[in-house]
Amino acid sequence: MIQLPHEMRDSLVEHLDEYLEAHSGSPDGEVVAAYVIDLLGSVAEEMKVEEAEEIVLKLESSGELEASLQELLEEEFESNEELEYTGEEIVSLIEKVCDVEWTTADDDDAEDDEDDDDPDGFFDDMGGDEDDE
């Protein structure tokens, strides 16, 4: 599983919706897949995601994909007649096949707050932790 900021998801959906609205009719699956791959990289950089230049490789690794993400998207776009070309639908597909979990700043703060129970490190100094009981 890969964790990415929820703001990245929102931005992807917004950019994809704008891109798809600009194309009348049914867009070409190969062209849309290529755009999605480029968009993933640019939005990851915009959001300052760690190792943004390798985001597609990280997604492929997270989903344990046997083919590239672009090839998988192309195949899905061309074979799934029920797929709606919307930002939400495409991002949902990516999160499903790549095992993505979207996190919020609150999620990160919650993990940091766990240490707030012992702000001065008293229990650490004693060689134990209050939660180990």
Side-chain angles (χ1 to χ4, degrees):
M1 175 184 301
I2 185 171
Q3 293 184 333
L4 297 170
H6 200 277
E7 296 83 26
M8 181 175 172
R9 184 188 197 289
D10 295 341
S11 184
L12 287 168
V13 170
E14 183 179 324
H15 286 298
L16 283 166
D17 282 341
E18 289 172 7
Y19 173 79
L20 294 167
E21 285 174 13
H23 290 80
S24 59
S26 242
D28 181 272
E30 190 174 325
V31 173
V32 175
Y35 176 76
V36 169
I37 297 301
D38 289 341
L39 183 62
L40 284 165
S42 62
V43 171
E45 286 180 20
E46 178 184 314
M47 297 290 158
K48 298 185 181 355
V49 171
E50 190 175 317
E51 299 179 15
E53 65 279 354
E54 296 179 7
I55 190 69
V56 174
L57 292 173
K58 291 175 130 187
L59 287 166
E60 291 170 346
S61 174
S62 175
E64 300 177 0
L65 305 182
E66 294 181 16
S68 73
L69 180 57
Q70 184 168 344
E71 291 171 342
L72 188 119
L73 290 173
E74 287 174 17
E75 183 179 314
E76 184 68 22
F77 294 156
E78 292 172 7
S79 66
N80 187 346
E81 295 176 12
E82 295 178 17
L83 179 77
E84 292 182 42
Y85 281 94
T86 65
E88 183 65 38
E89 191 86 14
I90 293 170
V91 171
S92 293
L93 175 64
I94 292 169
E95 61 189 49
K96 181 177 132 190
V97 298
C98 295
D99 198 18
V100 177
E101 179 181 325
W102 303 103
T103 61
T104 62
D106 293 342
D107 294 341
D108 295 337
D109 291 344
E111 290 174 17
D112 294 341
D113 289 346
E114 291 174 6
D115 294 335
D116 290 347
D117 293 340
D118 184 22
D120 60 0
F122 176 78
F123 291 104
D124 292 338
D125 293 341
M126 295 182 67
D129 189 69
E130 62 191 355
D131 295 334
D132 289 342
E133 295 177 33

